[in-house]
């Protein structure tokens, strides 16, 4: 098909991350080349909670790490989160309808070899260490992302 889609994942919210991953997986299934670029809050989607560390971080970076989601399972809803109750309700509704949850779409994207990029500046500013991210994530700068986006047939900002 020779089509390319680029998603800039800026949001760190469960439902928005899920929408982006649903679109990425669906595009890959119809043979579209897919790139996902994670910046700022979107980085929480590709943070590996098993590899998160407080070592070699500044005080602010440690505080920030403790106050933010450890990984994709801890992302809040964009609306009606209600201290996690709304998200729990959504997850139960997904189970009742036998629909996949966010983590399943993330695993699918990884298996389909969707390209995952992290914004270098966002990684540095947010206090992430490269080893805290999923192994598939490549850290790139904004110019490299823009070249990829300009080469795409479709660009989405989520």
């Amino acid at each position: 098909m020779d089509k390319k889609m680029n998603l800039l994942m800026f949001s760190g919210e469960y439902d928005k991350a899920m929408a982006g991953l649903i679109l990425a997986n669906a595009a890959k299934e119809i043979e579209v080349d897919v790139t996902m670029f994670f910046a700022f809050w979107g980085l929480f989607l590709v943070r590996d909670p098993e590899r998160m560390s407080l070592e070699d971080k500044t005080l602010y970076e440690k505080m920030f790490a403790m106050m933010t989601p450890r990984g994709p399972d801890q992302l809040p809803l964009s609306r009606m989160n209600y201290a996690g109750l709304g998200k729990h309700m959504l997850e139960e509704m997904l189970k009742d309808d036998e629909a996949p949850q966010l983590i399943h779409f993330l695993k699918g994207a990884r298996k389909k070899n969707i390209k995952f990029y992290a914004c270098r500046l966002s990684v540095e500013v947010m206090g992430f260490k490269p080893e805290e991210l999923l192994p598939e994530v490549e850290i790139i700068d904004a110019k490299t992302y823009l070249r990829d986006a300009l080469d795409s047939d479709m660009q989405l900002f989520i």
Side-chain angles (χ1 to χ4, degrees), residues 38 40 43 61 118-130 133 139:
F38 301 89
F40 289 98
L43 288 170
E61 290 172 342
C119 172
R120 180 178 317 283
L121 181 61
S122 296
V123 168
E124 292 170 2
V125 169
M126 302 282 280
F128 284 79
K129 302 295 179 199
L133 303 175
I139 299 173

Side-chain angles (χ1 to χ4, degrees), residues 6-8 37 140-150:
N6 180 290
L7 290 98
L8 192 159
F37 182 73
I140 62 172
D141 62 21
K143 289 177 190 175
T144 304
Y145 159 71
L146 288 170
R147 284 185 200 100
D148 182 77
L150 287 168

Side-chain angles (χ1 to χ4, degrees), residues 31 49 51 64-65 74 84 120:
E31 299 178 17
R51 298 169 56 179
F64 197 73
Q74 290 188 353
R120 180 178 317 283

Side-chain angles (χ1 to χ4, degrees), residues 32-150:
V32 173
D33 186 29
V34 180
T35 298
M36 298 183 80
F37 182 73
F38 301 89
F40 289 98
W41 309 113
L43 288 170
F44 297 125
L45 183 58
V46 291
R47 178 194 269 176
D48 186 340
E50 302 298 320
R51 298 169 56 179
M52 194 176 141
S53 171
L54 297 179
E55 284 185 43
D56 299 322
K57 291 191 177 191
T58 67
L59 176 62
Y60 285 140
E61 290 172 342
K62 288 177 183 176
M63 291 172 57
F64 197 73
M66 291 187 291
M67 295 168 47
T68 56
R70 292 182 63 87
D73 285 336
Q74 290 188 353
L75 297 178
L77 286 181
S78 62
R79 305 225 188 266
M80 297 177 56
N81 191 54
Y82 302 122
L85 180 60
K87 181 181 168 193
H88 176 72
M89 291 168 47
L90 175 63
E91 288 175 328
E92 289 300 315
M93 291 164 42
L94 290 168
K95 284 180 191 174
D96 289 348
D97 287 338
E98 298 179 9
Q101 294 189 358
L102 173 68
I103 198 69
H104 300 120
F105 288 109
L106 181 59
K107 287 178 181 176
R110 293 172 73 187
K111 285 181 183 174
K112 291 178 180 85
N113 295 316
I114 289 173
K115 294 181 203 107
F116 288 172
Y117 296 124
C119 172
R120 180 178 317 283
L121 181 61
S122 296
V123 168
E124 292 170 2
V125 169
M126 302 282 280
F128 284 79
K129 302 295 179 199
E131 57 273 9
E132 293 179 294
L133 303 175
L134 297 174
E136 296 87 355
V137 177
E138 180 183 342
I139 299 173
I140 62 172
D141 62 21
K143 289 177 190 175
T144 304
Y145 159 71
L146 288 170
R147 284 185 200 100
D148 182 77
L150 287 168

